[in-house]
Amino acid sequence: MRTRPLKVALLGCGVVGSEVARIMTTHADDLAARIGAPVELAGVAVRRPSKVREGIDPALITTDATALVKRGDIDVVIEVIGGIEPARTLIRTAFEHGASVVSANKALLAEDGAALHADAEKHGRDLYYEAAVAGAIPLVRPLRESLAGDKVNRVLGIVNGTTNFILDKMDTSGAGYSEALDEATALGYAEADPTADVEGFDAAAKAAILAGIAFHTRVRIGDVHREGITEVTAADIASARRMGCTVKLLAICERAADGQSVTARVHPAMIPLSHPLASVREAYNAVFVEAEAAGQLMFYGPGAGGAPTASAVLGDLVAVCRNRLNEAPGPGESAYTRLPVSPMGDVVTRYHISLDVADKPGVLAQVATVFAEQGVSIDTVRQKGRQDKSGEASLVVVTHRAPDAALSRTVEALRKLDTVRGVASIMRVEGE
């Protein structure tokens, strides 16, 4: 075993960073045995140096992250500060000064991953980011390495624990969205500002990363169609249950049937209770990967939290340190296919549409005509009059598979009918 330690700079010492530092200290001997050399925490960059950080030598603490990554003796930089800047500049600076990088920064990788990979390649260094998607669940490396000889056609999964917790509580307890969000916040699953989670930004960043790796093409977060869960109601949950389904926020990345393009999208959807993703409860994550030779693979586990995310970071650290010892970087970006990302309108899917309509003869025929005019076939219809003597009825239509653009045009045409008082909800049906 090499006696000179590999030196590691840690950027950020919050929930994840402090757990990374703790594991590096308490499992130092095991990490050294697995790597083939000892690893040493050489510096920790933070914003508030006065804060007490148990188990970390105060002499390692600095507020000058730039000076830390510029040190010529740093072998690996671990970036867990998040956000676009200063993380992007610090990572690029680390490459320029000879360090490899382990990151958990999904937002930055989804926005600027191609440029960062190019910098890593230019300087002969590694960029690893298993922790950026689905916490401790090994997903990035299996897609990038284990399935490198296969053709991945679809990635479908639950990649945000906060939204899964909220939807699970709405399903199991009958709670409304606001009530379920309050519970998620009280338990620490949701941030004080939950926008990134509930509006789908977090899941969209992860979808961009997964699509890029799975399909060997460049996908940015702006390419991902995104819808959050804030409009999901208790009525939607109840309607899904009547269909033998549940509602999940799904990240779906697909290769087109002709293989000439890909799509990436995040939105709530109804999935059958028979689908394995339907049983993913509370804040857990699960991802299905469908490959040509391997078939269907499922990855399941805790998708967030200090310890699970630190586990993924440390796994990357071991791999990167081994590469440093071998003086050869691991696999970098694979974007040789250069496939275009098709718009959401090209996606073929099913819809569940709930309408408030006039309770009188001929309404169903008018609605059916609108679907026919747009080339959308109806699978099932359920109509129920209301008991409040309002003269309205509830009409639920579930379609066969059709292009999303055709379904959108159908909904717009329905809104213009005099007999349609309102479109109560629209939700896609997936996983069949």
Side-chain angles (χ1 to χ4, degrees):
M1 179 185 291
R2 192 178 88 164
T3 56
R4 185 182 76 79
L6 292 158
K7 294 192 175 182
V8 178
L10 178 61
L11 308 182
C13 198
V15 174
V16 176
S18 58
E19 190 67 15
V20 168
R22 184 191 68 79
I23 296 174
M24 286 185 65
T25 302
T26 57
H27 297 279
D29 291 342
D30 286 337
L31 290 172
R34 294 165 191 170
I35 292 168
V39 287
E40 175 187 307
L41 191 58
V44 182
V46 300
R47 287 185 298 175
R48 295 185 294 275
S50 59
K51 181 180 178 180
V52 177
R53 293 171 172 85
E54 187 176 346
I56 298 177
D57 183 352
L60 297 177
I61 301 296
T62 179
T63 57
D64 194 342
T66 301
L68 178 59
V69 300
K70 283 184 174 180
R71 280 175 46 177
D73 62 336
I74 297 296
D75 295 289
V76 183
V77 170
I78 297 175
E79 183 271 309
V80 288
I81 56 179
I84 305 300
E85 289 291 355
R88 173 168 48 198
T89 299
L90 289 170
I91 289 174
R92 301 186 75 170
T93 302
F95 290 140
E96 291 169 4
H97 287 80
S100 290
V101 173
V102 173
S103 176
N105 195 332
K106 54 188 169 286
L108 176 57
L109 290 160
E111 177 64 32
D112 213 20
L116 295 178
H117 275 293
D119 280 348
E121 183 177 3
K122 174 182 176 181
H123 296 286
R125 292 297 178 248
D126 281 320
L127 173 62
Y128 276 43
Y129 44 89
E130 183 67 68
V133 181
I137 304 172
L139 185 57
V140 171
R141 195 173 292 119
L143 281 173
R144 189 162 65 172
E145 299 178 29
S146 303
L147 294 173
D150 207 340
K151 180 181 179 182
V152 176
N153 291 317
R154 194 171 195 234
V155 179
L156 166 73
I158 298 164
V159 295
N160 182 272
T162 301
T163 53
N164 198 58
F165 179 89
I166 291 170
L167 292 173
D168 181 47
K169 287 301 174 184
M170 291 176 70
D171 185 37
T172 56
S173 70
Y177 168 77
S178 297
E179 185 182 351
L181 174 59
D182 288 343
E183 184 175 354
T185 304
L187 292 173
Y189 292 127
E191 301 286 346
D193 179 2
T195 303
D197 292 321
V198 299
E199 293 292 358
F201 290 101
D202 175 84
K206 295 170 182 175
I209 293 170
L210 292 175
I213 299 171
F215 306 134
H216 304 279
T217 195
R218 287 176 177 168
V219 180
R220 299 180 65 181
I221 189 168
D223 298 321
V224 181
H225 174 84
R226 175 192 56 79
E227 298 173 28
I229 66 167
T230 55
E231 301 300 319
V232 177
T233 66
D236 293 327
I237 301 292
S239 189
R241 194 179 299 115
R242 284 192 292 269
M243 287 178 57
C245 293
T246 189
V247 177
K248 299 290 185 182
L249 182 72
L250 298 180
I252 306 173
C253 311
E254 295 177 301
R255 190 189 299 268
D258 62 5
Q260 300 304 303
S261 65
V262 299
T263 58
R265 51 195 166 109
V266 168
H267 54 73
M270 297 181 179
I271 59 173
L273 294 174
S274 57
H275 196 285
L277 288 179
S279 62
V280 178
R281 307 293 301 278
E282 299 197 331
Y284 276 76
N285 286 189
V287 177
F288 256 84
V289 176
E290 298 176 11
E292 209 162 79
Q296 290 188 335
L297 308 172
M298 182 173 175
F299 300 83
Y300 170 84
T309 305
S311 172
V313 168
L314 269 296
D316 279 349
L317 177 65
V318 169
V320 169
C321 285
R322 287 172 176 169
N323 294 343
R324 289 303 298 259
L325 292 180
N326 293 328
E327 298 182 350
E333 183 190 34
S334 175
Y336 71 93
T337 63
R338 295 182 174 86
L339 295 173
V341 182
S342 297
M344 184 63 188
D346 291 350
V347 170
V348 177
T349 185
R350 299 178 67 204
Y351 263 37
H352 173 283
I353 304 170
S354 180
L355 305 171
D356 294 327
V357 300
D359 191 5
K360 62 182 183 180
V363 172
L364 181 55
Q366 290 182 0
V367 169
T369 297
V370 169
F371 278 88
E373 289 173 345
Q374 299 300 331
V376 178
S377 175
I378 293 175
D379 181 16
T380 62
V381 177
R382 185 177 71 252
Q383 183 172 355
K384 183 178 181 181
R386 295 183 177 168
Q387 304 299 315
D388 56 8
K389 298 182 180 179
S390 62
E392 290 187 0
S394 175
L395 182 65
V396 175
V397 179
V398 180
T399 73
H400 286 293
R401 288 168 59 82
D404 198 86
L407 291 162
S408 296
R409 290 194 300 269
T410 301
V411 172
E412 289 308 306
L414 289 171
R415 294 184 193 275
K416 296 176 182 178
L417 289 179
D418 292 338
T419 51
V420 174
R421 308 292 169 77
V423 180
S425 72
I426 308 164
M427 194 168 293
R428 296 173 185 88
V429 182
E430 302 284 349
E432 294 176 309

